[in-house]
Amino acid sequence: MPSSLVSTLCLILISGFLSLLTFNLQTAFNMNHGSYPEVNVHEVVHFGAVITLQHVSTTGGYLSSLNASYPKRPASSEQQLVAVAAARSDDTSWRIYNASMRSELVDQDDVQGMHHVSRDATVILRHVATHKFLHSHQEFAAPVTSGEGHWEVTAYGMRGFEGDANDDWVVEPLRGAVLTTATPFRLRHRLTGCYLASREGAQLPEWGFGLQEVTCTRDEAGGDLWIIDAI
Ligand SMILES: *[C@@H]1O[C@H](CO)[C@@H](O)[C@H](O)[C@H]1NC(C)=O
Ligand SMILES: *[C@@H]1O[C@H](CO)[C@@H](O)[C@H](O)[C@H]1NC(C)=O
């Protein structure tokens, strides 16, 4: 082998080793600090992270669920309410999982998976405070927004129950191959193709505490962009 080729190969090996070392040091640094102390605007979202979803298209409220149910009238599933709330609280925390891991979630909460959430990943979102999954179905129309194509969104399930395919959402970031805190994204309901959305001026009545309605819609009018506010 010519000696110039050998030294080139050596250089490549050494620089590769150095960048690996730097990467490992950075990882160790992050781990020592446990949960990330500050939100880095380019943070990559990993499975197992607790996140809040901020609604981009209106006033920037948060995807929320509370210990209250949709009422019998208008016709509803009577499952747990999901809405946009103005402020962050315990009600606005969701944990994001790879949907393939649902059976492991039956008796544990901290399935990590380690992997980042990639474009077109099928995810499930579990409401931390009540252990229910973000859910939609086309048996019931949305309570406020009338017309075809706006369906009810609920939180559904309980500890010990692995949920069902109506809990599956596909992640569609506006750009990039992975979901980061800097990327607005859409969540598409995998079975029915509608998008998680909310509209300015669609306020729930008293039973919904006047919060802004959340629906699943195929309406092109939008209202379906979200961004992760914290991880
Ligand atoms: C939710 O509300 C019901 C009835 O109002 C109550 O029995 C239950 O304990 C509440 N659950 C939580 C987690 O607060
Ligand atoms: C989800 O988990 C399955 C099964 O382990 C795996 O094949 C798939 O690649 C994972 N999805 C992502 C986006 O990591």
Side-chain angles (χ1 to χ4, degrees), residues 150-177:
H150 294 271
W151 291 282
E152 187 188 70
V153 173
T154 72
Y156 179 62
M158 65 212 80
R159 272 186 191 280
F161 172 63
E162 66 177 57
D164 62 40
N166 275 330
D167 305 333
D168 289 355
W169 300 86
V170 178
V171 173
E172 295 186 358
L174 280 191
R175 53 183 178 270

Side-chain angles (χ1 to χ4, degrees), residues 199-220:
R199 286 187 318 119
E200 193 115 48
Q203 307 302 128
L204 297 173
E206 207 172 316
W207 55 256
F209 312 100
L211 297 172
Q212 190 172 291
E213 180 195 48
V214 167
T215 70
C216 195
T217 181
R218 290 215 194 91
D219 190 344
E220 296 291 318

Side-chain angles (χ1 to χ4, degrees), residues 47 98-101 104 113 115-123:
F47 288 116
N98 180 336
S100 303
M101 294 195 161
E104 290 158 62
H115 290 102
H116 51 243
V117 180
S118 52
R119 167 181 296 279
D120 296 333
T122 301
V123 304

Side-chain angles (χ1 to χ4, degrees), residues 85-223:
R88 292 175 62 160
S89 72
D90 289 348
D91 293 334
T92 62
S93 292
W94 301 82
R95 206 186 270 270
I96 187 165
Y97 298 104
N98 180 336
S100 303
M101 294 195 161
R102 59 166 27 106
S103 59
E104 290 158 62
L105 294 173
V106 167
D107 28 55
Q108 53 186 329
D109 293 335
D110 58 350
V111 177
Q112 297 293 324
M114 292 313 284
H115 290 102
H116 51 243
V117 180
S118 52
R119 167 181 296 279
D120 296 333
T122 301
V123 304
I124 46 183
L125 287 165
R126 184 149 72 174
H127 188 239
V128 173
T130 63
H131 291 272
K132 295 183 185 340
F133 292 111
L134 186 70
H135 182 97
S136 185
H137 39 219
Q138 299 194 344
E139 285 86 352
F140 296 97
V144 173
T145 303
S146 54
E148 274 296 299
H150 294 271
W151 291 282
E152 187 188 70
V153 173
T154 72
Y156 179 62
M158 65 212 80
R159 272 186 191 280
F161 172 63
E162 66 177 57
D164 62 40
N166 275 330
D167 305 333
D168 289 355
W169 300 86
V170 178
V171 173
E172 295 186 358
L174 280 191
R175 53 183 178 270
V178 295
L179 183 61
T180 76
T181 54
T183 322
F185 65 101
R186 295 187 171 87
L187 275 179
R188 174 166 49 86
H189 192 243
R190 192 177 58 81
L191 273 191
T192 62
C194 59
Y195 287 87
L196 188 74
S198 187
R199 286 187 318 119
E200 193 115 48
Q203 307 302 128
L204 297 173
E206 207 172 316
W207 55 256
F209 312 100
L211 297 172
Q212 190 172 291
E213 180 195 48
V214 167
T215 70
C216 195
T217 181
R218 290 215 194 91
D219 190 344
E220 296 291 318

